[in-house]
Amino acid sequence: MPTRSSIEWTEMTWNPVTGCTKVSQGCKRCYAERMAKRLTAMGSDRYRNGFNVTLHPDLLDMPRRWRQPRVVFVNSMSDLFHEDIPLQYIQRVFTTMRDCSQHTFQVLTKRSERLAEVAAQLPWPRNVWMGVSVEDARVIARIHDLRSVPAAVRFLSLEPLIGPLNELPLKDIHWVIVGGESGPRARPMRNEWVDSIYRQCRSAGVPFFFKQWGGVRKDLTGRKLHGRTFNEMPAALQPAA
């Protein structure tokens, strides 16, 4: 179901698909998988299949009912470019986003190869932001795939950051989010990794959003860097000075 989100860089989540499978180390302690297990135990019909990929076509038109403009994270509980999701279904999601121009939709994937393969078969209105998750240098190729996509806003979610990223290819990237892993057995994020990314963004003129230090208790570690909070957004949503 679409719900208000506690994720710092969005307002709402919309999940026309739930469930996923792991593709890299960034998936090791997936928050969505943990949440799905709880919802399954609670008897939620949306999670009757647990964390297996499940389509919810009855939710495809949900954003059409929202009158007030919203910032919407698409598939916070899945990956829209998962290999088990038919292209026709992805196209229907994009059609809804195109038709709901009053909203801003944020789509995030780890499956950048499929994204690049099907991008030409999707509409790319200005209200659709496309991003990739990059947890360390082993998956930096996802950024190169993203740069081939004709989205108005292309962004990086460097979360959970589990290794250094000292040579980010930031050309044609419009936004960078950084965050540490949180929850049980969270892997640590080093200060120098964050500082390096911050400096690279400043040098390239890319808005920088610091989401959290993470840890087992992210409420205790907070989200301040250099004594301040970084909530920078792409120009389309940048608050007036």
Side-chain angles (χ1 to χ4, degrees), residues 197-224:
I197 295 166
Y198 170 77
R199 291 194 301 270
Q200 291 176 74
C201 288
R202 282 293 178 264
S203 178
V206 176
F208 176 87
F209 192 107
F210 188 58
K211 181 173 178 285
Q212 62 185 32
W213 285 105
V216 176
R217 289 282 305 277
K218 68 176 185 178
D219 57 318
L220 298 180
T221 57
R223 52 187 301 257
K224 285 191 175 182

Side-chain angles (χ1 to χ4, degrees), residues 11 19 29 36 44 73 99 102 107-108 174 226 228 230:
E11 295 175 358
R29 298 194 174 97
S44 171
F73 179 21
D99 293 347
Q102 72 273 32
V107 184
L108 190 58
H174 306 104
H226 301 152
R228 57 168 288 196
F230 288 89

Side-chain angles (χ1 to χ4, degrees), residues 37-95:
K37 287 180 180 178
R38 291 198 296 269
L39 291 168
T40 300
M42 293 167 59
S44 171
D45 186 59
R46 295 286 177 193
Y47 295 89
R48 60 191 179 278
N49 299 324
F51 203 52
N52 294 322
V53 174
T54 304
L55 308 184
H56 301 282
D58 61 307
L59 296 181
L60 281 169
D61 291 323
M62 181 66 71
R64 300 178 190 272
R65 306 175 196 169
W66 303 336
R67 294 183 178 274
Q68 295 298 319
R70 306 180 185 197
V71 181
V72 184
F73 179 21
V74 181
N75 277 2
S76 63
M77 296 296 289
S78 184
D79 186 328
L80 187 58
F81 293 91
H82 192 284
E83 55 274 14
D84 289 345
I85 302 175
L87 173 59
Q88 293 81 1
Y89 196 86
I90 299 172
Q91 289 171 328
R92 289 187 64 188
V93 172
F94 268 74
T95 296

